[in-house]
Amino acid sequence: MASFGAKFVGPEGYEVRRPLGEAVAFERVRPVRSIPSFQGQGNNPGFYWAATMGEHVEFESWLKRDEAMALDFDAEVIAFAAQPFWLFWPHADRMRSHVPDFFARRADGVGVVIDCRPAEKVRARDEEAFAATVRPGGLVGQNLEDVPAEAAARAREWERHVVEVETGPPLGAEPGTHPRPEYDPATTTVREREAAKAAELSAVGVATSAITVQRMRARYRSDGLRGLIDGRLLRASSATGRADARVVEAIREASNPCPAMFAANKAVAR
């Protein structure tokens, strides 16, 4: 975490840079960068009126507008912001930076960082940036006191495997650590890394398929460490809340906003 930094617009309108992990209400910040709008551009930027916060949220394309709509209809989301911060992290001998599309705050206090891009347009460089939003987030504030110790241990073990597949270096690795060859994003595809992880686990007696690894990656992106817990062990919560479940489901099915959505969950003090 100490190697990651965030730059955002503070309450007084000035840019503030802090180590990632400090308590910041990113769901209430102004956009850290402006979205260009000009005649003839290929995307369609604009503003969406979010009833959740009672204010406009800027979007960069219709794809991201649809994701803003999905967040607005999600009963678990209490606030969200677009273009919330610059994320900085070390890579090789230089610093990389990336601005996520959205930051959403859930009712349980967990924050979700969302990047939204069509799968066919995700390049290797994009994958690295999206994975960086996962890497700092998983362990922070993920309280597992309400689940059995054995289940919590399994979740943390899966987290270690998922992060290696996502980012290359294992969880907690020092900046500059080189990934093992079979998990190097520079030379392998994510499907190859999933297959390598399934083979690795199966070789030590934990029968695992690449589909299982893919499913665990999706759950980690959606709900962080807690997403790796068997759902039957967690307290059930309503998925509809303010909105009719049929409305929420219809919007998600119709828009399918983010087929390549990478999310990192980070609990930040309210």
Side-chain angles (χ1 to χ4, degrees), residues 91-257:
H91 176 74
D93 58 349
R94 58 190 174 84
M95 294 294 291
R96 283 288 311 272
S97 60
H98 173 64
V99 179
D101 291 313
F102 296 100
F103 181 92
R105 178 75 63 187
R106 296 192 331 201
D108 60 5
V110 171
V112 183
V113 180
I114 301 170
D115 268 298
C116 194
R117 190 167 301 179
E120 67 274 11
K121 294 186 178 180
V122 177
R123 301 167 297 176
R125 181 179 174 85
D126 299 324
E127 276 203 11
E128 179 193 329
F130 296 156
T133 66
V134 174
R135 193 174 175 192
L139 283 174
V140 181
Q142 294 283 305
N143 191 327
L144 300 182
E145 293 180 357
D146 59 333
V147 300
E150 184 178 348
R154 284 199 301 268
R156 294 191 187 280
E157 181 67 14
W158 259 113
E159 180 182 44
R160 184 174 66 83
H161 295 307
V162 167
V163 169
E164 187 171 30
V165 171
E166 290 278 8
T167 71
L171 185 68
E174 292 296 321
T177 298
H178 293 291
R180 291 188 284 170
E182 62 269 35
Y183 299 113
D184 189 346
T187 58
T188 61
T189 66
V190 69
R191 294 293 176 258
E192 290 172 335
R193 299 195 296 276
E194 289 170 349
K197 181 58 68 176
E200 176 186 333
L201 292 173
S202 297
V204 296
V206 182
T208 308
S209 68
I211 294 298
T212 297
V213 177
Q214 185 177 350
R215 185 173 68 249
M216 298 303 275
R217 286 181 57 236
R219 288 167 59 177
Y220 188 69
R221 291 196 224 112
S222 175
D223 294 302
L225 180 60
R226 293 182 66 84
L228 303 178
I229 299 289
D230 187 328
R232 293 170 295 183
L233 300 176
L234 299 175
R235 289 182 302 176
S237 59
S238 170
T240 55
R242 297 186 301 268
D244 188 301
R246 293 167 297 179
V247 175
V248 177
E249 185 63 23
I251 288 178
R252 289 198 178 278
E253 287 185 359
S255 61
N256 187 23

